[in-house]
Amino acid sequence: MYGGLALSFLNIFKSDAARRTALFAGHVVPDPSRCVQCGICTYNCPIGIDVRAYAWRGEAIKHNECLTCGECVARCPRGVLRFERTDLFTAGAG
Amino acid sequence: MRYIIVGTGVAGIAAIEAIRSVDKKGEMIMLGDDPHGFYSRPGLAYYLTGELHDKALFPKTREDYARLGFKYHKARVTRINRAEKTVLLDGRELLSYDKLLIATGAFATPLKVPGSALQGVLKLDHLDDARQILKLARRGKTAVVVGGGITALELTEGLLARGMNVHYLLRGDRYWGNVLDEHESRIVEKRLQEEGVTLHFHSELIEVIGRAGKVGGVRLLNGRTLKCDILAYAIGIKPRVELAREADLALDRGILVNEFLQTNDPDIYAAGDVAQVYDPLSGRSVLDSLWSPAREQGRAAGLNMAGQRISYIKGAPFNVTRLAGLTTTIIGAVGHGHDEDILGIARGDSETWRELPDASVAQGGFDMNHVRILVGEKTLIGAVVMGDQTLSTPLQKIISDKMDISCIHDKLLARNARVADVIVEYWSKYVASA
Ligand SMILES: Cc1cc2nc3c(=O)[nH]c(=O)nc-3n(C[C@H](O)[C@H](O)[C@H](O)COP(=O)(O)OP(=O)(O)OC[C@H]3O[C@@H](n4cnc5c(N)ncnc54)[C@H](O)[C@@H]3O)c2cc1C
Ligand code: SF4
Ligand code: SF4
């Protein structure tokens, strides 16, 4: 059952639109006041980062192995997570 | 110093963390009657849809608990003796306390109609309830859901995701009419219908009909009957105040506490869903029944129990949820506009959205976006943001800080206003000047 959702309105998160914005230099940053500790982010992180624990502490996910793949941002049911760019001043320079 | 915390929910855990952050040595004992301890109750909805495994609902590891250095007993507190400063566990063992926190949460209001005890009448309160639902949910069988709010919708989505035919009964003429406006209700309803949910408006359950001890159908006030295999309900919650009542603590709907989360007994505190907290800004005592306030109250209670003096100040009402797949943020006063301060309502839908030139990228990629803003003379009074959440953080800040929006007032209320753009432009200027 897991992974194969029967509800089409939950599959929209897998759309490219959510991903397009994802792959750039930056961090995932949580808004802890929106988080209900459900664990969907941690459950879906391809490299097993405990994203939820960062959201509890209100810390940016500055984890060496984070791919900024956007999986956690796209799947969080509360919009807790967002990207914050660190390449703001270099983007567009090349 | 011995601290006793009754309840293993988020309020209790937040209190434990807060106490330990200022008192490194005090003895902390946590007592709880939920066999599963601390887990995400809001996450139960996503366990039902299959978005996560039940093992993923537990936020803390054994090491996290060990680091906090507290004792845990799985036990129900059956009495508080204020004169002796003791609590009674399971009617047997006595434990003394110096400071006590009651964080016993709330429970689902039970269904009272005839037939409510039949097998297949289900609620969604605890992990065991969710497991029971999954045990009985069968592809191709039929479920009826009753209740007007978020949990009822989550039950609908969960049962639908498990392949059931779902009939959703609504008392009024639309979904969540005391919070959403008609357009927003219709957005949610349409999405549910597109997934195959049958909505029944003006429909009130009066009886669950049994067949050999199991649910066989339901009878409605208008005389109709529907066949079904499951009846799932979410008709409200009630704070668990029995302990406090027996101990003669001051009560209203919840346990009354001051802004320091203290009851009328200075050594007893209450926080979370069970607490009705005095709000110094409005001068009223309010029940919140939400995860984030429960956490914040637990934290403030813990710090105060450990000797600090921290008041809990409630911000503008704020609730985040997901309605039929759309992340939704509700800020401030958005219900039926009894509020004379509201001068107009600004709305924006997908057409007026654009890529926002911001340094941060919020969740996007929804197939529809919507915003409704209640505009006052100088301030924004409330907002509903569905889908793309880029506007949520700015609106939350603008509303809760009562920022002066006179300069965009007319733009927001103009015909065909590009509402999202107006807010983003205002916000960018504010961020640039801050
Ligand atoms: C299905 C569902 C969906 C939800 N969705 C959302 C949501 O989307 N957003 C949101 O903000 N909130 C949501 N909530 C509400 C949120 O879960 C609660 O506000 C929050 O859990 C309250 O935390 P608490 O610590 O006050 O109480 P609880 O989490 O209820 O914990 C209380 C604990 O006290 C224990 N207890 C009670 N009495 C005794 C006793 N006498 N002795 C020992 N132990 C006792 C109970 O076993 C329980 O473990 C949802 C709740 C449910 C059930
Ligand atoms: S998915 Fe979102 S709400 Fe759930 S734990 Fe992660 S950040 Fe919090
Ligand atoms: S962006 Fe990807 S790798 Fe990084 S924490 Fe989120 S899911 Fe994990």
Side-chain angles (χ1 to χ4, degrees):
Chain A
M1 188 69 212
Y2 299 108
L5 299 180
L7 292 177
S8 59
F9 58 51
L10 298 182
N11 289 322
I12 56 171
F13 300 120
K14 296 185 188 98
S15 72
D16 288 344
R19 292 259 162 71
R20 256 202 324 268
T21 46
L23 294 159
F24 57 71
H27 304 113
V28 175
V29 180
D31 172 356
S33 70
R34 302 174 71 93
C35 174
V36 289
Q37 293 287 295
C38 68
I40 289 184
C41 50
T42 301
Y43 187 65
N44 285 291
C45 175
I47 52 172
I49 297 174
D50 189 1
V51 184
R52 162 170 55 192
Y54 286 84
W56 177 262
R57 298 190 301 265
E59 288 170 11
I61 293 133
K62 294 192 177 168
H63 190 288
N64 291 339
E65 288 160 47
C66 173
L67 311 164
T68 62
C69 68
E71 224 25 65
C72 57
V73 176
R75 286 184 191 264
C76 169
R78 306 286 160 146
V80 172
L81 305 167
R82 63 181 197 278
F83 284 106
E84 230 160 69
R85 312 180 68 125
T86 48
D87 63 345
L88 200 59
F89 299 103
T90 51
Chain B
M1 179 67 99
R2 180 189 272 176
Y3 305 93
I4 290 191
I5 315 291
V6 189
T8 53
V10 65
I13 291 290
I16 294 263
E17 284 192 354
I19 293 170
R20 192 50 91 222
S21 72
V22 289
D23 180 346
K24 306 289 176 205
K25 294 211 191 73
E27 183 188 11
M28 298 190 288
I29 303 176
M30 181 171 238
L31 308 167
D33 65 357
D34 189 318
H36 307 292
F38 175 50
Y39 56 91
S40 174
R41 293 176 66 209
L44 294 174
Y46 314 129
Y47 170 44
L48 287 188
T49 56
E51 285 166 273
L52 44 66
H53 197 282
D54 55 354
K55 290 193 184 70
L57 290 168
F58 294 83
K60 302 282 181 199
T61 62
R62 213 177 280 271
E63 296 75 54
D64 292 331
Y65 291 131
R67 223 173 293 129
L68 289 166
F70 66 95
K71 284 185 213 139
Y72 165 65
H73 292 289
K74 197 213 147 283
R76 168 181 291 234
V77 175
T78 45
R79 185 163 317 130
I80 298 170
N81 183 331
R82 289 165 55 190
E84 315 262 315
K85 294 181 75 171
T86 56
V87 293
L88 184 64
L89 310 191
D90 295 322
R92 291 193 302 268
E93 191 187 344
L94 276 178
L95 273 180
S96 66
Y97 64 82
D98 296 301
K99 299 282 177 196
L100 176 69
L101 175 66
I102 306 176
T104 48
F107 62 91
T109 309
L111 195 65
K112 291 255 170 61
V113 301
S116 296
L118 290 164
Q119 197 197 336
V121 176
L122 303 167
K123 64 183 167 65
L124 180 60
D125 212 2
H126 296 284
L127 179 51
D128 289 337
D129 296 325
R131 288 190 174 145
Q132 182 66 12
I133 292 173
L134 292 185
K135 212 170 100 190
L136 297 181
R138 290 273 173 280
R139 190 163 289 281
K141 298 272 186 177
T142 300
V144 169
V145 177
V146 286
I150 298 176
T151 306
L153 184 61
E154 289 173 340
L155 282 164
T156 301
E157 293 177 1
L159 293 165
L160 201 59
R162 301 292 162 164
M164 294 196 77
N165 303 316
V166 184
H167 293 263
Y168 183 14
L169 306 186
L170 292 158
R171 263 203 194 156
D173 58 359
R174 59 190 181 86
Y175 175 68
W176 214 15
N178 54 344
V179 172
L180 303 181
D181 72 4
E182 180 158 357
H183 177 58
E184 291 152 0
S185 295
R186 301 295 177 227
I187 291 174
V188 176
E189 290 161 10
K190 182 156 172 283
R191 294 168 74 87
L192 291 174
Q193 285 165 328
E194 280 166 4
E195 296 285 342
V197 176
T198 311
L199 297 171
H200 300 257
F201 298 99
H202 301 292
S203 292
E204 193 159 340
L205 174 75
I206 56 163
E207 185 186 353
V208 188
I209 305 163
R211 210 176 43 207
K214 293 184 184 163
V215 173
V218 293
R219 194 183 315 281
L220 310 183
L221 185 60
N222 61 15
R224 276 192 71 187
T225 56
L226 291 168
K227 280 192 182 163
C228 64
D229 309 281
I230 282 179
L231 183 267
Y233 68 94
I235 53 173
I237 58 165
K238 286 207 160 63
R240 285 176 74 168
V241 295
E242 315 82 51
L243 274 179
R245 179 176 292 128
E246 279 182 25
D248 212 16
L249 293 170
L251 294 181
D252 180 24
R253 282 183 301 153
I255 304 175
L256 289 169
V257 293
N258 62 19
E259 65 202 273
F260 307 105
L261 288 310
Q262 215 164 15
T263 65
N264 57 325
D265 179 328
D267 293 321
I268 304 182
Y269 294 72
D273 281 4
V274 77
Q276 190 171 335
V277 185
Y278 179 74
D279 173 19
L281 297 182
S282 67
R284 288 186 307 174
S285 286
V286 277
L287 276 176
D288 247 318
S289 319
L290 290 170
W291 181 272
S292 268
R295 180 182 179 187
E296 283 306 311
Q297 290 167 15
R299 178 177 165 276
L303 292 174
N304 288 318
M305 290 163 78
Q308 306 217 332
R309 194 126 176 104
I310 307 287
S311 27
Y312 167 78
I313 305 283
K314 201 179 136 56
F318 173 60
N319 191 3
V320 188
T321 183
R322 190 178 70 191
L323 305 175
L326 295 172
T327 304
T328 299
T329 305
I330 297 158
I331 311 162
V334 297
H336 282 309
H338 300 303
D339 198 329
E340 290 97 43
D341 298 336
I342 297 169
L343 293 185
I345 297 176
R347 290 191 175 78
D349 282 297
S350 302
E351 314 81 68
T352 60
W353 239 262
R354 61 179 177 133
E355 284 292 309
L356 300 165
D358 203 325
S360 77
V361 181
Q363 191 179 55
F366 290 89
D367 55 345
M368 77 86 53
N369 303 306
H370 164 81
V371 62
R372 167 166 60 109
I373 303 174
L374 306 185
V375 184
E377 182 67 50
K378 286 203 166 67
T379 57
L380 299 183
I381 291 156
V384 175
V385 183
M386 299 174 94
D388 189 308
Q389 292 298 309
T390 310
L391 295 178
S392 280
T393 307
L395 284 171
Q396 196 192 346
K397 177 104 175 121
I398 294 169
I399 292 167
S400 60
D401 290 4
K402 299 194 166 60
M403 286 168 67
D404 186 341
I405 53 90
S406 320
C407 59
I408 54 166
H409 177 273
D410 292 347
K411 278 193 206 164
L412 281 174
L413 293 179
R415 264 176 86 86
N416 302 323
R418 296 177 77 87
V419 173
D421 287 4
V422 176
I423 295 293
V424 166
E425 199 184 316
Y426 174 85
W427 183 248
S428 310
K429 280 190 194 142
Y430 164 77
V431 172
S433 68

